[in-house]
Amino acid sequence: MARNSHTARYDDDADNSWSCGSWFEYIIVVVLSTIFLIGALVLVIYWAVQHGNGFAWSEDPQKQFNLHPVLMVAGFITLSGFSILLYRLCRCLKHIYVKLLHMFFHACAVPCVVIGFLAVLDSHNLANPPIPNFYSLHSWLGLVTMGLFATQFVVGFFSFLVLLCCEDATYSCRAAMVPIHASFGLANFMLAIATCVSGITEKAIFKLKEDYSKWTEEGIILNALGATLIALGILVCFAVRRSNAPATAKVYVTERL
């Protein structure tokens, strides 16, 4: 059957009307998601500076470790979260521009993830005595998250940008990939949140020990960061899966340039 670019949509529905309530809901979700995405990064930076004495590289393994949570939250949560929200909700631009913005935010997340991973690996190996690697649930989840993120990035790049060079010939393939890519992208974001929360809990227990139960400022900040990440998981899932999203916010399977 011939392609109809005006009717082929992903997650489409018959009701394209948009009430005042839908507008209000849409704006609230976008604003709250933005606040929490930026807030999570602010909280982890504040924790690293105020309670971790800042940042360094191999000359100070303890400060070098602080790069790990900051860069992982920046890459996997803040940048990836904005990338997901932009692709799902930003319909004021041509679809190809939204794709490029989506790819740009994920591309910016790549060096954050790589440097953050090298920082924790290096800080563990240089510690005295050295700290074992890849034994905890947090590290296992982290490896899975990074692997899925890399796979999503490569598949997304080739499926939705490179294959556009042969748009008509690759339409069926790209259309089939959209729900798969979207589902695994959201799963990757949720997995990143689970990894961050497990890492926060691990760090709080190892560092604060018995002081963790005494409501210290550092413990409260770490708990607030974890709660913010969980709230983000709820908000972003709601934003991308809400069935009555506005017609202008529909995700098109494809569209001519």
Side-chain angles (χ1 to χ4, degrees), residues 46-97:
Y46 177 81
W47 170 80
V49 173
Q50 186 70 18
H51 297 280
N53 300 317
F55 308 98
W57 196 244
S58 56
E59 67 275 6
D60 191 335
Q62 289 187 339
K63 291 183 179 179
Q64 183 183 19
F65 173 84
N66 294 337
L67 290 169
H68 174 68
V70 170
L71 291 175
M72 289 304 189
V73 169
F76 278 132
I77 304 301
T78 302
L79 290 172
S80 294
F82 275 123
S83 178
I84 293 171
L85 288 175
L86 278 171
Y87 194 80
R88 183 63 178 90
L89 302 176
C90 183
R91 297 293 98 186
C92 55
L93 301 175
K94 290 184 67 175
H95 192 49
I96 185 61
Y97 298 148

Side-chain angles (χ1 to χ4, degrees), residues 27-45 73-74 76-82 85 189 193 196 200 223-239:
I27 293 172
I28 288 295
V29 170
V30 171
V31 171
L32 285 178
S33 298
T34 301
I35 291 173
F36 279 111
L37 284 169
I38 297 174
L41 184 58
V42 171
L43 278 174
V44 73
I45 291 174
V73 169
F76 278 132
I77 304 301
T78 302
L79 290 172
S80 294
F82 275 123
L85 288 175
F189 185 74
I193 289 176
C196 290
I200 291 167
N223 286 350
L225 175 59
T228 299
L229 293 172
I230 292 172
L232 268 173
I234 297 171
L235 282 169
V236 172
C237 281
F238 182 86

Side-chain angles (χ1 to χ4, degrees), residues 9-249:
R9 299 184 179 189
Y10 168 56
D11 193 28
D12 202 0
D13 55 45
D15 185 10
N16 289 331
S17 61
W18 207 19
S19 65
C20 292
S22 296
W23 268 109
F24 179 76
E25 176 188 292
Y26 177 82
I27 293 172
I28 288 295
V29 170
V30 171
V31 171
L32 285 178
S33 298
T34 301
I35 291 173
F36 279 111
L37 284 169
I38 297 174
L41 184 58
V42 171
L43 278 174
V44 73
I45 291 174
Y46 177 81
W47 170 80
V49 173
Q50 186 70 18
H51 297 280
N53 300 317
F55 308 98
W57 196 244
S58 56
E59 67 275 6
D60 191 335
Q62 289 187 339
K63 291 183 179 179
Q64 183 183 19
F65 173 84
N66 294 337
L67 290 169
H68 174 68
V70 170
L71 291 175
M72 289 304 189
V73 169
F76 278 132
I77 304 301
T78 302
L79 290 172
S80 294
F82 275 123
S83 178
I84 293 171
L85 288 175
L86 278 171
Y87 194 80
R88 183 63 178 90
L89 302 176
C90 183
R91 297 293 98 186
C92 55
L93 301 175
K94 290 184 67 175
H95 192 49
I96 185 61
Y97 298 148
V98 177
K99 282 185 177 182
L100 292 174
L101 280 174
H102 180 74
M103 181 65 71
F104 173 76
F105 273 92
H106 275 305
C108 289
V110 171
C112 292
V113 172
V114 171
I115 297 174
F117 175 72
L118 293 177
V120 69
L121 197 63
D122 210 23
S123 66
H124 281 185
N125 294 334
L126 293 174
N128 189 19
I131 300 173
N133 294 302
F134 310 123
Y135 70 91
S136 65
L137 176 62
H138 168 67
S139 61
W140 287 19
L141 289 173
L143 290 174
V144 175
T145 303
M146 287 188 293
L148 183 56
F149 179 84
T151 303
Q152 279 282 100
F153 186 85
V154 172
V155 171
F157 180 80
F158 282 99
S159 298
F160 301 110
L161 288 180
V162 174
L163 292 182
L164 281 176
C165 297
C166 304
E167 183 181 4
D168 290 331
T170 61
Y171 168 75
S172 297
C173 176
R174 287 183 290 114
M177 286 297 299
V178 166
I180 299 174
H181 183 72
S183 296
F184 275 98
L186 188 57
N188 195 196
F189 185 74
M190 299 303 295
L191 187 57
I193 289 176
T195 304
C196 290
V197 171
S198 65
I200 291 167
T201 303
E202 183 180 297
K203 184 64 176 179
I205 292 174
F206 283 174
K207 184 179 181 182
L208 300 179
K209 297 182 173 63
E210 65 274 4
D211 289 337
Y212 192 23
S213 62
K214 297 179 180 178
W215 292 87
T216 61
E217 179 186 333
E218 185 173 5
I220 293 172
I221 291 172
L222 291 173
N223 286 350
L225 175 59
T228 299
L229 293 172
I230 292 172
L232 268 173
I234 297 171
L235 282 169
V236 172
C237 281
F238 182 86
V240 301
R241 293 301 183 192
R242 187 70 170 104
S243 61
N244 67 346
T248 53

